[in-house]
Amino acid sequence: MRVSTLAVAAAVASIVSPTGTSAFVQRRPNPSILRQRHAAPLSMVSTESTSSSSSAAAEEELQHHVEVEAVMSGTVLEDGPVMDFGSLKASSRAEVALSTAREQYLANREAATAAGDHTVTSNLMGINEEVVETVGHELGTYCTAQEVQDCAAWLRNGKPQQTTNTAEQWNEETLLEKAYVESGEVTEAFAKTFYLATSLLPTAARRAIWAVYVWCRRTDEIVDAPRAEGDTDMLIDLAAWEHRLHQLWDPAQGNQVVDVLDLPLLDVHLTYPDLDIQPFLDMIRGMLMDIDGLDNIGQERYQTFDELHLYCYRVAGTVGLMSMPIFKTAPGFTELQAKEPALSLGVAFQLTNILRDVGEDAEKRGRVYLPQEDLERFGVTEQQLFEKRVDDNYIRLMKFEIDRARMYYERALRGVPMLSDESRLPVQSSLDCYGKILQKIEENGYDSLNQRAYVSKWEKLAEIPFSWYRTLEIAKVVPLPFDNNKPKSTIQ
């Protein structure tokens, strides 16, 4: 459940406390309060008063105006947590463990090279038997290691047109095309709602999003692969995976690739130079938070929502940051403006996953993602979750959590008009289809312990025309009749 089906974008900037530790929660003023305090137009604010009190009042009004504009432009949230999307390092046990594993991995590589071992494994990291079974066939079997490297060199050279060896050009283009096709197959197999949304994008953007998703899927599988208890190879594998990412990203390291499924990501990185490596690194840290049984590296419980919020960013909001340069923004908007509401959508999706899978996570993984402070507040015990007992307390808890998730969906809605024309419908349809899961939980009597809320493919397809209408300007004036009756969050 870690890799969200779609998180449209995330986070404005990292927020660091004066002590140097990450302060990933900060409260923002409510816009309705701001509007009341900013009732007078800015032009009415006198900055020429000779009295100190008038000057102070003018400065305060100006500050209120700046805050209002920041809220309305989307560069900050109107209330609630604002995330630090920079990785929490140094103080984290997981970060220390990953650093140690990285040193061991590099030492192993150096020793193997010194011994003359230049073997290149033919296995695709993160593509295990479960992935192959889910997709329905073996992946990456259509090329040699040398052909992969030749294709990577062709990409690094800007995909030059061949004038003397058209067969070679055809081979490289075909190899890249096959890698993209398989990326789409993996995406469709594991993230059906996400795949449906990408089908509404132009071809280039659709393929780029598939490439990003496959990297996320592989990262998830490296952590989830079946291993013996106490097996620390997973950390070595994750360190190797991060090292590969740096090699692919960094021109100084040659923009290197290892296997054929690296090729689409290299192509995306070179095509979209504004695509930052940081959210990819942050996702790896999110996976570390989900590790079980390795010296308390993972985080099996979340005491507060603030702690869960960081997890939601790392495993879902990061996907949005990866997607933003591909989605692009509409004229008059910047990525800075679009990222903050998109952050809310990433959080909304991951909270939806958590609420849908409460029973499954408890039964199969022994995990409880719901904040402990919320369980205590509503009188719900972990034992009750493991025994799958739904009572009035659990129903009240679920109502509260659904209300919180809807708050993030509502915040995210303002970001849709900020996106480029071709990206609005995919994002809106994802928002609408995924939001329906919350409705399904309600229809199931709030029982997410024994029932899994599910939205069928036909329900998703039927929603697309309505999603399309919601992206139009007229929808602001003439909304769909049933939209007025949709449940709204009571959290302000």
Side-chain angles (χ1 to χ4, degrees):
M1 64 170 283
R2 283 191 293 267
V3 178
S4 174
T5 54
L6 178 64
V8 184
V12 170
S14 63
I15 301 165
V16 180
S17 69
T19 61
T21 58
S22 174
F24 61 88
V25 175
Q26 191 175 71
R27 298 291 169 180
R28 297 292 186 184
N30 189 297
S32 60
I33 298 176
L34 289 176
R35 292 189 190 97
Q36 293 171 8
R37 298 175 66 181
H38 187 62
L42 185 61
S43 60
M44 295 177 62
V45 178
S46 173
T47 59
E48 299 178 356
S49 174
T50 57
S51 70
S52 59
S53 59
S54 297
S55 177
E59 289 181 5
E60 184 179 2
E61 285 297 317
L62 180 60
Q63 178 62 30
H64 292 329
H65 171 77
V66 171
E67 290 176 345
V68 168
E69 291 302 313
V71 167
M72 300 312 295
S73 71
T75 57
V76 298
L77 289 176
E78 64 270 21
D79 191 16
V82 176
M83 288 187 189
D84 169 12
F85 61 85
S87 295
L88 296 180
K89 299 183 177 180
S91 61
S92 167
R93 287 192 303 271
E95 190 68 36
V96 172
L98 183 61
S99 178
T100 301
R102 186 184 308 116
E103 292 174 2
Q104 183 176 343
Y105 165 72
L106 293 175
N108 292 345
R109 270 173 51 101
E110 185 176 346
T113 301
D117 182 2
H118 302 285
T119 303
V120 178
T121 177
S122 59
N123 294 331
L124 299 176
M125 184 175 284
I127 304 297
N128 53 37
E129 292 181 1
E130 179 186 350
V131 174
V132 171
E133 182 179 350
T134 303
V135 174
H137 62 81
E138 294 284 345
L139 299 171
T141 59
Y142 42 83
C143 60
T144 65
Q146 185 57 53
E147 287 172 332
V148 170
Q149 297 306 320
D150 290 343
C151 187
W154 175 69
L155 288 172
R156 289 190 293 266
N157 290 330
K159 305 179 190 175
Q161 294 294 313
Q162 303 287 343
T163 58
T164 59
N165 191 346
T166 56
E168 181 179 346
Q169 177 193 354
W170 179 87
N171 184 56
E172 290 158 348
E173 290 179 348
T174 302
L175 180 56
L176 180 62
E177 177 64 28
K178 286 183 177 180
Y180 269 120
V181 169
E182 287 195 338
S183 296
E185 291 174 341
V186 172
T187 306
E188 182 179 19
F190 284 91
K192 292 177 173 55
T193 300
F194 180 80
Y195 181 81
L196 177 63
T198 64
S199 67
L200 303 173
L201 285 167
T203 301
R206 177 169 66 247
R207 288 159 38 119
I209 294 294
W210 289 348
V212 168
Y213 178 83
V214 167
W215 184 90
C216 298
R217 182 79 255 161
R218 296 175 73 179
T219 307
D220 191 69
E221 293 298 334
I222 290 170
V223 175
D224 274 350
R227 300 176 190 270
E229 186 174 351
D231 183 357
T232 59
D233 285 349
M234 184 274 295
L235 284 174
I236 302 295
D237 288 346
L238 208 55
W241 186 243
E242 184 179 61
H243 181 72
R244 281 176 55 166
L245 179 67
H246 280 292
Q247 287 187 311
L248 185 148
W249 226 262
D250 188 0
Q253 298 188 54
N255 296 123
Q256 297 180 41
V257 301
V258 175
D259 61 49
V260 66
L261 291 183
D262 289 340
L263 292 173
L265 186 61
L266 175 60
D267 187 35
V268 171
H269 169 51
L270 297 175
T271 303
Y272 301 93
D274 291 338
L275 184 60
D276 190 8
I277 193 175
Q278 189 61 52
F280 293 84
L281 298 174
D282 285 345
M283 173 167 279
I284 292 175
R285 272 80 190 158
M287 299 302 167
L288 285 170
M289 294 175 76
D290 251 342
I291 293 175
D292 295 321
L294 281 179
D295 299 324
N296 296 318
I297 291 175
Q299 188 166 346
E300 296 185 359
R301 298 293 185 271
Y302 295 87
Q303 187 60 39
T304 66
F305 179 70
D306 295 341
E307 292 181 3
L308 182 64
H309 211 186
L310 175 65
Y311 171 77
C312 289
Y313 160 68
R314 284 181 169 174
V315 300
T318 49
V319 182
L321 281 179
M322 300 170 194
S323 305
M324 182 56 66
I326 300 169
F327 284 143
K328 300 181 180 179
T329 55
F333 292 101
T334 66
E335 284 193 20
L336 180 63
Q337 292 171 314
K339 283 177 181 176
E340 192 63 57
L343 163 66
S344 294
L345 188 54
V347 175
F349 283 166
Q350 193 61 27
L351 289 177
T352 302
N353 286 343
I354 290 170
L355 299 182
R356 179 194 62 195
D357 298 338
V358 175
E360 182 179 324
D361 285 332
E363 178 182 21
K364 295 183 178 180
R365 305 183 63 216
R367 280 193 172 269
V368 177
Y369 288 93
L370 295 175
Q372 297 292 304
E373 64 180 6
D374 293 350
L375 297 180
E376 182 177 350
R377 173 182 176 182
F378 290 98
V380 176
T381 65
E382 286 196 5
Q383 187 64 28
Q384 177 179 344
L385 302 184
F386 291 124
E387 293 177 357
K388 297 188 174 184
R389 288 188 287 107
V390 177
D391 60 10
D392 289 343
N393 288 350
Y394 184 78
I395 290 174
R396 289 192 301 113
L397 170 66
M398 290 303 295
K399 287 181 177 179
F400 171 78
E401 302 294 354
I402 288 173
D403 198 31
R404 174 188 276 156
R406 284 202 171 113
M407 174 186 70
Y408 284 100
Y409 277 105
E410 291 168 13
R411 289 174 174 177
L413 274 171
R414 71 175 179 216
V416 175
M418 300 179 185
L419 298 174
S420 62
D421 288 344
E422 61 268 22
S423 297
R424 292 177 188 174
L425 178 56
V427 172
Q428 181 72 53
S429 65
S430 295
L431 187 155
D432 294 337
C433 290
Y434 227 71
K436 278 184 170 292
I437 294 176
L438 299 179
Q439 294 177 238
K440 294 292 184 178
I441 295 174
E442 292 171 327
E443 292 170 8
N444 290 341
Y446 299 94
D447 182 4
S448 57
L449 295 176
N450 303 286
Q451 303 182 62
R452 194 174 195 270
Y454 174 74
V455 181
S456 71
K457 179 179 179 180
W458 297 112
E459 288 177 292
K460 295 173 186 175
L461 290 172
E463 189 67 26
I464 292 177
F466 302 119
S467 298
W468 168 78
Y469 181 82
R470 293 181 185 112
T471 66
L472 304 179
E473 286 295 322
I474 192 175
K476 299 177 182 178
V477 181
V478 187
L480 293 167
F482 44 82
D483 279 357
N484 292 325
N485 299 323
K486 276 188 173 183
K488 303 292 184 182
S489 173
T490 62
I491 300 176
Q492 300 295 328

